Amino acid sequence: MIVPEPGKLAGLDRQIFVGKQNMGKRVVLITGCSSGIGLALAQAFRARDCLVVPTARRAQDVATLRQQGWQALQLDVTKAESMAQVVASIEQDYGKLDVLVNNAGYGQFGALMDLTLDDLRRQYDTNVFAPVALVRAALPLLRRSASARVVNIGSVSGLLTTPFAGAYCSSKAALHALSDALRMELAPFGMHVITIQPGAIQSRMGENGAAQVVIPPDSAYQPIAQAVHARSTLSQQGASPANQFAEQLAQAVLKPKPARLVRLGNNSFNAWFLARCIPQALLDSKMMRYFSLDRLKP
C-alpha cells in the first residue's frame, strides 16, 4: 500500500485524510527507523493504535518505508533545517505531537588516543546534541498534547564504560544527564521525559559498529587490534529480539504515569550492578584483562 506523502496533502483532501486518521489518536515521531530497533518501535506503537511518523536519514530508506505503507519522512538529526521541515510537516498534517522518540544514534569505537576531535564531534552531534535540538524544535507541538512524552534512548553503556568505546559510552552518559535535566524542566508543562537504558538488543549495531572502528596503522593498540574490533560487536552477544524490546518500551511509554527510567533487554541489570556495586579498581582490572590491555607493554 502506498500512502500520500506526509506534508503534501492539500485542501479538502488533506482535511478528509487527517480527520479520518487523527480521531484522538496519539501522534508519534520516531528517529532512526530504517531498520532494527527504530522500525520495531514504529510497528509496536502502530499496533497500539498510534499515528506513527517514522523517519530515516537516507532518501532510499524513506522510499522503502513509504512503499510499506508508512507516513515516513526524511530526517537528518544533525541538521536544523531538516528538523524544522519534519516538525512543519507534522504540524500541517496532525497539528500536534504526543510522543517523540529520540532513537537515532551510532557507536564510534576505538581508543580515545586514536580518535580525532572530528570523530568525537560527530559522535556527540548525533547522540547528544541532536536529541536536545529536536526536542527544542518540536516543543510547540509537544505542548499542544494533553500528556506529551519525550523518550530518549540511552544505553547501559552510559553506565558502564569500557575500553575502546569511550566516545560512545560518554555520549550516552551525557544523554542520560541531559534527560534528567529535561525531565525536571519540562514537568511544569505536563510533559514526561523518559530515559530508556537498553542492554543488548538485536540491531545493526554490530554491522554498523564494525565500520566505525578507528585503529590507525601506527596505533599503539595494533597488537590487540582484534580486541578493539571485538568491542564494536559486543552489544550483539546474547541480544534480546528487537521486537520484544519495542513491545516492552511502547507499553512502558504509553502508561498513564510512565516511569522516568526504564531498563530493558539482556544484561541491562548486570551492567548497572557492575557499575554501581563493584569496586572501581577491581572493575578496571577485569575490563583491562577482558579487552587484552594487560598484554601491552610500557
Side-chain angles (χ1 to χ4, degrees), residues 55-219:
T55 67
R57 181 174 57 86
R58 299 187 302 176
Q60 56 266 43
D61 292 331
V62 175
T64 299
L65 287 168
R66 288 177 181 169
Q67 290 171 357
Q68 296 171 352
W70 295 99
Q71 290 287 106
L73 293 172
Q74 187 171 2
L75 173 60
D76 185 335
V77 297
T78 66
K79 296 182 179 179
E81 180 181 356
S82 182
M83 287 187 282
Q85 290 172 346
V86 165
V87 170
S89 179
I90 292 174
E91 180 174 25
Q92 179 181 351
D93 286 345
Y94 304 108
K96 65 167 185 171
L97 180 61
D98 298 287
V99 181
L100 167 60
V101 182
N102 282 306
N103 169 67
Y106 76 97
Q108 175 66 69
F109 299 101
L112 284 175
M113 293 300 96
D114 286 338
L115 301 182
T116 66
L117 288 180
D118 283 341
D119 291 329
L120 290 171
R121 289 189 184 102
R122 282 191 294 270
Q123 180 74 104
Y124 274 63
D125 279 345
T126 301
N127 289 12
V128 181
F129 305 145
V132 177
L134 188 53
V135 173
R136 181 185 296 115
L139 186 59
L141 289 183
L142 288 165
R143 292 190 66 179
R144 295 178 190 176
S145 171
S147 183
R149 279 107 162 97
V150 172
V151 183
N152 289 332
I153 308 295
S155 172
V156 293
S157 292
L159 305 175
L160 181 66
T161 302
T162 68
F164 312 131
Y168 177 68
C169 294
S170 64
S171 74
K172 290 302 186 178
L175 181 60
H176 295 168
L178 289 169
S179 298
D180 287 342
L182 280 173
R183 184 181 66 252
M184 293 180 282
E185 293 170 359
L186 296 181
F189 308 111
M191 298 171 59
H192 299 274
V193 176
I194 307 163
T195 304
I196 310 296
Q197 293 178 354
I201 310 296
Q202 290 176 2
S203 68
R204 290 169 59 182
M205 185 75 168
E207 174 188 338
N208 295 338
Q212 297 294 335
V213 175
V214 173
I215 181 164
D218 61 347
S219 171

Side-chain angles (χ1 to χ4, degrees), residues 250-280:
Q251 182 178 356
V253 167
L254 296 178
K255 287 181 177 180
K257 294 183 178 180
R260 64 174 184 83
L261 172 64
V262 179
R263 294 193 181 101
L264 298 169
N266 287 346
N267 295 322
S268 57
F269 174 79
N270 292 347
W272 172 86
F273 178 81
L274 288 172
R276 294 291 183 267
C277 302
I278 303 299
Q280 192 64 53

